[in-house]
Amino acid sequence: MVQPARVGDTVDQIETPALVVDRALFEQNLDRMAAATSHIRLRPHAKTHRCPAVALQQIARGAVGVSCQTVGEAEAMVAGGVRDVLITNEVVSAAKLRRLVDLTAAAQVGVLVDHPAALADLARTASALPEERAIDVLVEIEVGQGRCGVSDPSDIVALARAAAAAPGLSFNGLQAYHGSAQHGRTPDARQTAIAGAAVRVRSALAALTAAGLTARIIGGAGTGTLLLEARSGLWNELQPGSYVFMDRDYRANTLAPGDPVFAQALHLYATVISAAAPGRAVLDVGLKTVAVDSGPPDVDQPGWQTVRVSDEHTTCTVPAGVTPGTRVRVVPGHIDPTVNLHDWIVVVDSGVVVDLWAITGRGSSA
Amino acid sequence: MVQPARVGDTVDQIETPALVVDRALFEQNLDRMAAATSHIRLRPHAKTHRCPAVALQQIARGAVGVSCQTVGEAEAMVAGGVRDVLITNEVVSAAKLRRLVDLTAAAQVGVLVDHPAALADLARTASALPEERAIDVLVEIEVGQGRCGVSDPSDIVALARAAAAAPGLSFNGLQAYHGSAQHGRTPDARQTAIAGAAVRVRSALAALTAAGLTARIIGGAGTGTLLLEARSGLWNELQPGSYVFMDRDYRANTLAPGDPVFAQALHLYATVISAAAPGRAVLDVGLKTVAVDSGPPDVDQPGWQTVRVSDEHTTCTVPAGVTPGTRVRVVPGHIDPTVNLHDWIVVVDSGVVVDLWAITGRGSSA
């Protein structure tokens, strides 16, 4: 891939479309998260950035490691120097389980389970691991989003017991992540969702205790709800991702008093390639450079309105005076799948390119 | 990137999520397109596949070259052996114009213009090119989709005249592509849209003729409308892309009698990673492996219904008996941005992997 800029370029020399991070705002986001979570384990989610350079800065500020969503993402993080990865997802194929086991040679590795057959496959693959390389297992419990995770406390206990008994595995606790709660627009909506999740966590913990099992870790939380989980007295390891860069969808949440405020630290830089009709301009950004699952992106410029996004174009209504070559900054609706469309993050400070971070986990969805 | 399969693997050994092409259906699509366009120039659009291995097979069946949407895509095609590329888009930055000029060392290169200032920049950058490397210029005209392209015949003539006069450039004709017409669901809707486009083309041609200018090429058309343009007596170079693989969106079009029928030759192979609740299963396919701008993908399996797509998950309602490890085939809603999320196309024949094609243009949106 052609790099979109070189260190020392001015922002106007960055080749578009390109992801551009404002270093000061990015570091402010990391600092604010570190301050908000200083009393609790932080395991930021690498699915947002897939970029070891970002992960290492999170860890330098106190994060215990990173969360990943796929084995490939974890491989990219470990190759980039991260030494503690939790895959906050189920892993099922024989080849992926072998890759997971291989990762334990270089890092502390954890993974989720929510099904006895999948756990049995994992246990078989990991059975020869020495104790110091044992894979941490969290039992994923369903806390209200209707996706992965076990509901019945007796099923949770059975999985925990099987993990605890398996050579090569170590039962480490529960994963209790409520994805849809992150985007509850009001503090009340988010509070209600996490209160519901807490009821499920308490019931699972009671069942584990009754069975003589200890959950060392209760993992979950995201950028939208993390203080709610942190204050619950239940969760003790938080996994927010989007706060590093932010997006329009998260910024549409109304914050509660005391919530940390994260800035839009990443923009997609774009250039007008066509302005052939009055009041209309077409940007060089499209479905292959910005994710639209949360709606079209916003243009960070007064009087601009996005009308339509196609493969390589975003059509906008614009004020007079816009010509081909006009450059603008675009705010993505949803940051994680947008970052995954790119190979590089251009880092700027005071209008100058100061670094380029390779998104080495880009495309690592297997 | 880890390759998702090796030649000789059975389909069940392909690591998911992965793009998988059925070779027989793919070749049938290419053959049917070659037959349908045997009397006219075919310049298939590489934005669908970004894969030189596919482009070379299209050219082997008679295509004159390929269409590209970006300079990076054209670079990938030329690096892969294609010798004739038309960028069916406006190119504006100084660096991209230099890359465009550089490409003429290895290929016949064409590009669109729709603005005098952008044409002047192009002409300046190309001015030193020897005649045999001159860049073909098509003036893009607006034919009803409200995106790029000039409307006023006198503006069209002015651009054509300037291109014809510029050393290093060669005025070659008009680009008249109607994107939204491709997805008109009924033959009538598509016919009406292309009839409207034809009115604009005729008017532009009359103005060019009156000015003593000749449009050698009238380019445009896509998988949804190509016979309409071909029969118009106006268009003489067709640029369909999606027909090689197809997607749910194109298959939702009702065909007119005589329209070529293209098969769904590409599927996204997926695996169930979680089936913890009755009637629900979660696939290892998400926003980072399938584009959802045309809605969630379909699962090619009776009784399965997609409910929600998140970053790395597709939640489905499913019949009884589905367990982690169950494998299914998924039909993407929109093929172009889906292919761009992957690095490899796995080619299968009779249930066995026979080839892997690298998507070397993946991510080449600059």
Side-chain angles (χ1 to χ4, degrees):
Chain A
M1 286 300 98
V2 181
Q3 292 194 12
R6 286 176 300 188
V7 171
D9 283 354
T10 66
V11 289
D12 288 341
Q13 294 175 294
I14 297 169
E15 200 55 50
T16 67
L19 297 181
V20 181
V21 161
D22 180 298
R23 183 164 69 178
L25 293 176
F26 167 79
E27 292 184 351
Q28 176 183 293
N29 286 348
L30 264 53
D31 289 340
R32 287 184 179 176
M33 181 57 83
T37 59
S38 58
H39 58 301
I40 196 167
R41 289 166 67 90
L42 176 67
R43 183 183 287 281
H45 218 303
K47 80 190 183 74
T48 299
H49 53 72
R50 291 187 155 185
C51 174
V54 173
L56 295 176
Q57 293 176 76
Q58 294 172 311
I59 291 166
R61 280 169 174 77
V64 299
V66 295
S67 303
C68 296
Q69 204 71 321
T70 67
V71 176
E73 221 170 79
E75 288 168 338
M77 289 299 131
V78 172
V82 175
R83 292 289 160 256
D84 190 332
V85 291
L86 170 67
I87 298 173
T88 60
N89 204 359
E90 284 66 25
V91 173
V92 303
S93 90
K96 289 195 186 80
L97 291 173
R98 282 193 300 273
R99 289 161 55 200
L100 190 72
V101 166
D102 289 346
L103 270 180
T104 66
Q108 180 60 43
V109 173
V111 69
L112 310 188
V113 298
D114 75 353
H115 195 281
L119 174 57
D121 288 343
L122 169 65
R124 208 166 20 250
T125 314
S127 62
L129 280 178
E131 201 180 323
E132 67 276 14
R133 283 174 57 182
I135 294 176
D136 288 331
V137 172
L138 299 185
V139 175
E140 181 164 26
I141 67 172
E142 149 66 5
V143 291
Q145 77 172 330
R147 197 168 70 185
C148 306
V150 190
S151 292
D152 188 320
S154 67
D155 292 338
I156 296 168
V157 167
L159 286 167
R161 187 172 276 143
L169 302 183
S170 166
F171 170 66
N172 208 30
L174 300 176
Q175 169 79 358
Y177 175 65
H178 196 317
S180 47
Q182 305 309 314
H183 307 281
R185 287 293 170 239
T186 64
D188 269 3
R190 298 193 297 277
Q191 172 116 40
T192 302
I194 299 306
V199 170
R200 313 270 200 128
V201 172
R202 262 187 218 101
S203 140
L205 285 175
L208 289 174
T209 302
L213 291 157
T214 303
R216 201 173 66 82
I217 296 293
I218 313 293
T223 296
T225 66
L226 66 104
L227 286 193
L228 299 171
E229 281 94 340
R231 289 172 184 150
S232 69
L234 295 167
W235 284 266
N236 58 14
E237 192 171 283
L238 309 183
Q239 303 161 350
S242 300
Y243 74 96
V244 290
F245 300 142
M246 292 299 283
D247 57 26
R248 194 200 43 221
D249 199 57
Y250 264 116
R251 288 170 70 201
N253 280 2
T254 304
L255 297 182
D259 275 348
V261 179
F262 300 110
Q264 187 63 44
L266 179 147
H267 288 84
L268 187 56
Y269 277 37
T271 302
V272 171
I273 59 166
S274 173
R280 182 167 75 216
V282 182
L283 297 173
D284 59 352
V285 156
L287 300 171
K288 294 176 183 174
T289 43
V290 69
V292 298
D293 58 284
S294 296
D298 285 342
V299 179
D300 185 23
Q301 194 78 21
W304 289 60
Q305 186 70 43
T306 51
V307 176
R308 203 178 320 111
V309 185
S310 44
D311 283 353
E312 300 286 359
H313 300 101
T314 296
T315 306
C316 305
T317 56
V318 299
V322 172
T323 57
T326 298
R327 294 166 65 95
V328 294
R329 305 192 314 170
V330 168
V331 178
H334 187 186
I335 192 68
D336 302 24
T338 296
V339 170
N340 183 57
L341 295 165
H342 297 263
D343 292 283
W344 295 96
I345 296 169
V346 182
V347 188
V348 303
D349 197 349
S350 308
V352 176
V353 175
V354 293
D355 210 347
L356 281 104
W357 297 335
I359 307 168
T360 56
R362 196 275 326 146
S364 296
S365 293
Chain B
M1 286 301 98
V2 181
Q3 292 194 13
R6 286 175 300 188
V7 169
D9 282 354
T10 66
V11 289
D12 288 340
Q13 294 175 296
I14 297 169
E15 201 55 50
T16 67
L19 297 182
V20 180
V21 160
D22 181 297
R23 183 162 68 178
L25 293 176
F26 166 79
E27 291 184 351
Q28 176 184 292
N29 286 348
L30 264 54
D31 290 339
R32 287 184 179 176
M33 181 57 82
T37 59
S38 59
H39 59 300
I40 197 167
R41 288 165 66 90
L42 176 67
R43 182 184 288 280
H45 218 302
K47 80 188 182 78
T48 299
H49 53 71
R50 293 188 153 184
C51 174
V54 173
L56 295 176
Q57 292 176 76
Q58 294 173 312
I59 291 166
R61 280 170 175 78
V64 299
V66 296
S67 303
C68 297
Q69 204 70 322
T70 66
V71 177
E73 221 170 79
E75 288 168 338
M77 289 299 130
V78 172
V82 175
R83 293 289 161 255
D84 190 331
V85 291
L86 170 68
I87 298 174
T88 60
N89 204 359
E90 284 67 24
V91 173
V92 303
S93 89
K96 289 196 186 78
L97 291 173
R98 281 194 301 273
R99 289 161 54 199
L100 190 71
V101 166
D102 289 346
L103 270 180
T104 65
Q108 180 60 43
V109 173
V111 69
L112 310 189
V113 298
D114 75 354
H115 195 282
L119 174 57
D121 288 342
L122 169 66
R124 207 165 22 249
T125 314
S127 62
L129 280 177
E131 200 180 323
E132 68 276 14
R133 283 174 57 181
I135 294 176
D136 288 331
V137 172
L138 299 185
V139 175
E140 181 164 25
I141 68 173
E142 149 66 4
V143 290
Q145 77 172 330
R147 199 167 68 184
C148 306
V150 190
S151 292
D152 187 320
S154 68
D155 292 339
I156 296 168
V157 167
L159 286 168
R161 187 172 276 142
L169 302 184
S170 167
F171 170 65
N172 209 30
L174 301 175
Q175 170 78 357
Y177 175 65
H178 197 317
S180 47
Q182 305 309 314
H183 307 281
R185 287 292 170 241
T186 64
D188 269 3
R190 298 193 297 276
Q191 172 115 41
T192 302
I194 299 306
V199 171
R200 313 270 199 127
V201 172
R202 263 187 217 102
S203 141
L205 285 176
L208 289 174
T209 302
L213 290 156
T214 303
R216 200 175 67 82
I217 295 294
I218 313 291
T223 297
T225 65
L226 65 105
L227 286 194
L228 299 170
E229 281 94 339
R231 288 172 185 150
S232 69
L234 296 167
W235 284 266
N236 57 13
E237 193 171 283
L238 309 183
Q239 304 162 349
S242 300
Y243 74 96
V244 291
F245 300 143
M246 292 299 282
D247 58 25
R248 195 200 41 223
D249 199 57
Y250 264 116
R251 289 169 70 200
N253 281 2
T254 304
L255 297 182
D259 276 348
V261 178
F262 301 110
Q264 187 64 44
L266 179 146
H267 288 84
L268 187 54
Y269 278 36
T271 303
V272 171
I273 58 165
S274 173
R280 182 167 75 216
V282 182
L283 296 173
D284 59 353
V285 156
L287 300 170
K288 294 176 182 172
T289 43
V290 69
V292 299
D293 57 285
S294 296
D298 285 342
V299 179
D300 185 21
Q301 195 77 22
W304 289 60
Q305 187 70 44
T306 51
V307 176
R308 202 179 321 111
V309 185
S310 42
D311 283 353
E312 300 285 0
H313 299 102
T314 297
T315 307
C316 305
T317 56
V318 299
V322 172
T323 57
T326 298
R327 293 166 66 95
V328 294
R329 305 192 315 170
V330 168
V331 179
H334 186 185
I335 192 68
D336 302 24
T338 296
V339 170
N340 183 57
L341 295 165
H342 296 263
D343 293 283
W344 296 96
I345 296 168
V346 181
V347 188
V348 302
D349 197 348
S350 308
V352 175
V353 174
V354 294
D355 209 347
L356 281 103
W357 297 335
I359 307 168
T360 56
R362 196 273 327 146
S364 295
S365 292

